[in-house]
Amino acid sequence: MNGLPEDFRPELLPSPWNELFYPTPYREAFEREGPSRGVDPRFMLSIARQESRYDPTVKSNAAARGLMQFIPSTGSDMAAKLGIEDFSQSDLFNPEVSVKIGAQYMQDLFTEFHE
């Protein structure tokens, strides 16, 4: 990819190539949860890529869990804020839950730092 011209437009790649270079796993969840909270789904996807390499089953040495890598206290706080009933820490390994909590968390951060 380093040899491509500056004006190269990756969106013009055939779909299989585009997905190979720019994967978008769990796209529906990111596109549903991000915009509803004012968060660009591509930004959320980049966080998931960095934090978990898109692996919803990963757990860090700091006990951060899932696709978006939340520690237990933050996961519980966000789940309570979202009204997720019967939340357990294993729910953070569910991509749908992780993305929903991630979108809310990012919205809260954007609000906090925008004021």
Side-chain angles (χ1 to χ4, degrees), residues 52-114:
S52 69
R53 295 257 195 246
Y54 308 126
D55 180 356
T57 66
V58 72
K59 184 176 178 182
S60 76
N61 292 337
R65 295 166 164 89
L67 194 62
M68 301 296 287
Q69 288 290 284
F70 284 101
I71 60 172
S73 59
T74 304
S76 294
D77 290 347
M78 290 292 101
K81 182 173 188 167
L82 290 164
I84 299 173
E85 297 192 22
D86 299 324
F87 175 78
S88 75
Q89 293 303 310
S90 63
D91 292 338
L92 292 172
F93 295 116
N94 177 329
E96 295 286 329
V97 173
S98 188
V99 169
K100 178 179 272 209
I101 288 173
Q104 184 62 53
Y105 186 74
M106 287 183 198
Q107 179 188 36
D108 291 353
L109 287 175
F110 291 166
T111 300
E112 179 180 345
F113 291 107
H114 186 267

Side-chain angles (χ1 to χ4, degrees), residues 18 35 45 49 71-72 79 115:
N18 203 359
L45 194 64
R49 163 67 169 76
I71 60 172
E115 295 176 347

Side-chain angles (χ1 to χ4, degrees), residues 16-46:
W17 286 88
N18 203 359
E19 281 295 316
L20 178 65
F21 291 123
Y22 305 102
T24 55
Y26 314 107
R27 173 186 296 197
E28 296 82 16
F30 288 107
E31 288 179 347
R32 179 179 55 255
E33 301 297 340
S36 69
R37 291 177 178 82
V39 182
D40 188 324
R42 296 169 298 185
F43 180 65
M44 293 182 63
L45 194 64
S46 69

